[in-house]
Amino acid sequence: MNDGWMNMLFSFLWPFITLALYTTLIKSHTDNQWGWGWFRGNHSSLSDYEEMYSYFPEDKRYRRIEDARTMFQFGYDNYMKYAFPFDELDPIHCTGRGSDGEDPSNLNINDVLGDYSLTLIDALDTLAIIGNNSEFKHAVQLVIDNVSFNNNSTVQVFESTIRVIGGLLSAHLLITDPSQPFGDLEPDGYEGELMEMAYDLGIRLLPAFHNTTTGLPHPRVHLQNGVPSDGINETCTAGAGSLLLEFGILSQLMGDPSFQDVANEAARALLDRRSNLTGLLGNVINITDGKWTGLQSGLGAGSDSFYEYLLKASIMFGNSSYLDAFNELYSSMKRYMRRGRSNCRTGQGETPMYVNVNMENGKLVNTWIDSMQVAFAGVQVLAGDIEEAVCNHAMFYAIWKKYNALPERFNWASKQPDVLFYPLRPELIESTYFLYQATQHPYYLHVGSHILDSIETYCKSKCGYATLHNVLTKTKEDRMESFFLSETCKYLYLLFDKDNHVNKAFHRYIFSTEGHLFPLRSEYRSKPWWDSCGTDGTCSKVKPVKLPSNISQCLNIAPERHYPLPLSSHYLEQIDKMVGLM
């Protein structure tokens, strides 16, 4: 072949060679970058995971907003029709339930239900967020007119604080926000009754902190008589330490530092009892002698919200000692609880995961993880460790894909659930929402869409949404816990409603562990009792901090584009295999 023919052939092929090299270069680059700003033009080369998750149509997102609203409204309307003024709805038999007075030992019910219209109070701010202002006003008036805390009920301090005090304070703050970002929410003649009711309940809970030499609260109080004479002297870490937000805000609003003082003391009592060797906490502690009776250290039930509240209280109140404590604990978690490869999104090795260990030596104590642990992915987002959050979340979503629900406990060694029920918990959708806010990646819209469809398909009942008694058989249990409306539906709705005020001003709010919306205010950092105290006992006042008008700008992503996944396809496949999905 002569030189002329060679030059002609080379001239003909060169554009294709250039295109191939360019495509390879772009693919190599995007495979190693986050997925919210890089165009993936060659759709035919997408993996199955990328084909499924790298694009979410706008028209579908709009439909999902209405689907989430409809889900909430169906549960709420049926609660109001069949259950109010009782605490919860039984969605199968279409009736209400309150505390179990016949069996005081039924803690599964009595720890939560105090005969104070729990579901209505817990759902108040969700009504505002979804834009049902008229029903919000009506519901607030019903609470004011019908709810009393002078009840013959023994309740758990933690649950009544996060669900009831939190619900009342959040609704009050939304009503009294002078800018009214959710529209007019103020009922006629409102005079701060919700705040006064929160204060009344708070006063009834304070005896839990009396007569304990450690500063750790009794886990339960009788709403009329204080601490029961036959009450136990043990509490879990989360129960004792997760009062910082609600009690702190209550102190701010009422000008009474008592609540913050006791919450602060309880948190410090826990932190002072970290292991000298590992820096970890146990999960159950004796409030009398301060000795750990449960040595398991993990991220799930019994511990989870304490870590969360250390970080959130540092943001809300500007207390640097809380932030220092969170960072120290997180470092210990990574050292002793974390398993797998060093980096979530790169390198070789097993999928990173956090396991349950002995607080004293960091050794593995069991091979299960529980469903509440996935909420820590949202905490990791808030802490800025998005890469760790991506892997943490992905593992729990793989379990959801396997069962169309999240069993209470999943054994990662046997790849089977140890505890089979799913009570409509919000933690997976909560962390999905926070990861979407951080990344704007369509993958998380797909995750939320799948969760919404699963709940609609397997949990919907005649009069609401029911707990799954068994995630394998999908048999139901006749209970709709209040957090379904307070958290699960709220986070589903906010995930898809990108134009909601909460999402437009995401940096101006903190969500409580019950999903209640609390505004960040600089005046919360200026009260004289908000001290940042060192380990040597010296304290310095925290100066008021002016909140910035805008913390971050999210990228505008063209909806027709496809984007590389937050976690590469081969890592997602690895996780699916790990949980027994493949």
Side-chain angles (χ1 to χ4, degrees), residues 24 39 78 147 186 200 212 243 245 250 256 289 305 321 331 416 423 434 472 492 499 532 545:
T24 301
F39 176 50
N78 279 286
V147 174
E186 185 173 350
D200 176 30
T212 66
L243 309 173
L245 281 187
L250 186 57
D256 180 354
D289 60 21
S305 54
S321 65
S331 177
Q416 295 295 326
F434 284 116
L472 302 178
L492 279 169
D499 295 322
S532 177
V545 176

Side-chain angles (χ1 to χ4, degrees), residues 143-162:
V143 170
I144 293 171
D145 293 342
N146 294 279
V147 174
S148 169
F149 300 121
N150 187 28
N151 302 331
N152 182 26
S153 303
T154 298
V155 298
Q156 192 185 87
V157 174
F158 168 68
E159 292 290 356
S160 54
T161 297
I162 65 169

